Amino acid sequence: MTKNTDIRVPDGYFSDLQERLLTIPEAKSPRRVHLAPYFAYAASIAVLVLAGTFILRRTAVTPEEESSSEWSYLSYLAQSLDPDGATYDWRDSSLEDEDIVDYLVNDGVTLEELVSYEENH
Amino acid sequence: MAAVQTMEDIFNQIVKENSEKLYWHVRRMVNSHEDADDLLQDIFLKVWTALPSYRGEAQLGTWVWRIATNETLNFLRREKVRAAIRLSSPDMEMERKIMADPYFNGTAAEREFAKAVAKLPDKQRQVFIMRWWDELPYEQISEISGTSIGALKASYHIAREKIEAALNLKADELSK
């Protein structure tokens, strides 16, 4: 089997890619970031608080809300899993489904949380 | 007197020496030109921001590959979450990308080969791609992944067997 001949790139792609990558230093100046030990503890505590929040938020949705016809699968999922769910009513959201998916993915929802959600609903 | 290299000089050198090689690696991992392009930018942004903390404990190229492979695995983890939210399976999503890739240039057999590779678990696939297409020596893969050479050889061997089995199964299906 020959190698790397089965896929190709647009014409001139690699020179364009290099040009774009070489502009990164102009846009972002590197900063040295050192996580102090107490930050690591703070991060652990934040994870625990978030996990607790997830559980509370899941139970915070009332049966009336659950049975509402305005709940789509995604809006209900977002309301249940999103840590900001309590301050944002996903039912009235004008967001497209794909935007909700992007939000959840970028917000760091994990596969484990989704599995747990599916098991409990 | 030797000229002093600035951070920008080092970064430019990293881009020139690694961007194309890393593109092919990432492209094989994500099976989409657009995703590979986006991910490459994230990887090099990460390289740039982490550059001040590079201490020379590994070869610069190995250090860059380590960032790239970790970022790629993180990307794939997010894609799995995305597939789960859409109630789809990651394998199906990957197969859909291979089938829909407008930049695929190969034969039907090569497409089946790519699909069989895509079904491997992410880390095993990464090892397979680094050996088969990127042609990296085991020593370098070991430095990048932090896995022993023996374990890498076993992983590669098992990956080849799985791919062979998948291709045989497909050949049987087609002959019926």
Side-chain angles (χ1 to χ4, degrees):
Chain A
M1 183 98 44
T2 49
K3 301 191 175 178
N4 277 337
T5 54
D6 57 332
I7 48 177
R8 60 184 178 82
V9 293
D11 291 340
Y13 172 69
F14 286 116
S15 54
D16 168 67
L17 174 69
Q18 280 202 4
E19 265 177 45
R20 279 185 287 133
L21 295 178
L22 291 174
T23 63
I24 288 176
E26 292 163 26
K28 293 258 176 188
S29 78
R31 275 177 299 175
R32 200 168 296 186
V33 180
H34 288 296
L35 269 184
Y38 60 84
F39 263 137
Y41 290 123
S44 309
I45 290 164
V47 167
L48 287 174
V49 169
L50 268 182
T53 311
F54 279 133
I55 293 163
L56 288 173
R57 293 280 152 69
R58 275 197 193 124
T59 54
V61 180
T62 65
E64 291 76 30
E65 286 172 324
E66 194 169 353
S67 62
S68 163
S69 59
E70 291 179 56
W71 283 107
S72 69
Y73 166 76
L74 279 176
S75 62
Y76 187 62
L77 188 68
Q79 195 82 34
S80 305
L81 297 182
D82 174 21
D84 298 322
T87 54
Y88 188 81
D89 189 346
W90 287 89
R91 277 175 304 179
D92 296 334
S93 164
S94 57
L95 291 173
E96 299 287 330
D97 281 359
E98 205 50 32
D99 294 326
I100 299 179
V101 173
D102 278 346
Y103 181 82
L104 287 170
V105 172
N106 294 329
D107 210 38
V109 169
T110 66
L111 213 48
E112 290 73 22
E113 283 162 0
L114 284 169
V115 170
S116 163
Y117 173 84
E118 291 299 332
E119 282 172 356
N120 292 311
H121 289 81
Chain B
M1 196 164 81
V4 178
Q5 271 196 312
T6 65
M7 201 79 85
E8 281 83 357
D9 293 336
I10 298 169
F11 181 75
N12 290 356
Q13 186 192 336
I14 291 172
V15 168
K16 283 173 184 150
E17 288 176 3
N18 296 280
S19 56
E20 190 166 338
K21 280 185 277 187
L22 283 177
Y23 169 85
W24 289 116
H25 174 78
V26 170
R27 170 85 180 269
R28 290 287 176 191
M29 287 297 291
V30 302
N31 285 305
S32 151
H33 168 70
E34 282 73 23
D35 287 347
D37 185 63
D38 286 346
L39 193 45
L40 254 272
Q41 297 195 58
D42 292 345
I43 287 166
F44 279 93
L45 181 59
K46 191 121 192 183
V47 166
W48 172 245
T49 50
L51 201 50
S53 62
Y54 172 67
R55 293 277 173 270
E57 63 281 1
Q59 292 279 324
L60 191 58
T62 300
W63 178 79
V64 171
W65 270 80
R66 199 176 290 159
I67 290 175
T69 51
N70 285 337
E71 283 295 297
T72 305
L73 290 175
N74 286 338
F75 172 87
L76 292 170
R77 239 171 257 134
R78 290 196 300 274
E79 284 300 287
K80 283 196 176 109
V81 172
R82 191 182 293 279
I85 293 172
R86 288 176 176 145
L87 304 176
S88 171
S89 88
D91 280 357
M92 280 171 63
E93 285 294 314
M94 207 54 107
E95 190 166 327
R96 187 189 58 74
K97 282 182 181 175
I98 293 170
M99 297 304 285
D101 185 357
Y103 299 108
F104 185 81
N105 210 24
T107 62
E110 284 170 325
R111 201 188 286 273
E112 288 307 319
F113 186 78
K115 278 157 64 177
V117 174
K119 287 196 179 98
L120 297 172
D122 292 344
K123 284 194 176 172
Q124 195 171 59
R125 192 151 55 94
Q126 199 161 54
V127 172
F128 182 81
I129 289 170
M130 284 198 272
R131 274 301 292 157
W132 182 263
W133 278 296
D134 304 328
E135 298 180 327
L136 297 183
Y138 278 117
E139 290 73 15
Q140 194 180 355
I141 301 174
S142 174
E143 283 168 23
I144 293 166
S145 63
T147 308
S148 72
I149 291 176
L152 290 172
K153 285 183 177 172
S155 181
Y156 183 71
H157 179 75
I158 294 166
R160 282 189 72 141
E161 283 187 340
K162 284 185 188 171
I163 293 165
E164 210 174 306
L167 292 177
N168 287 338
L169 191 69
K170 187 70 187 174
D172 285 348
E173 278 173 22
L174 291 174
S175 66
K176 279 177 190 167

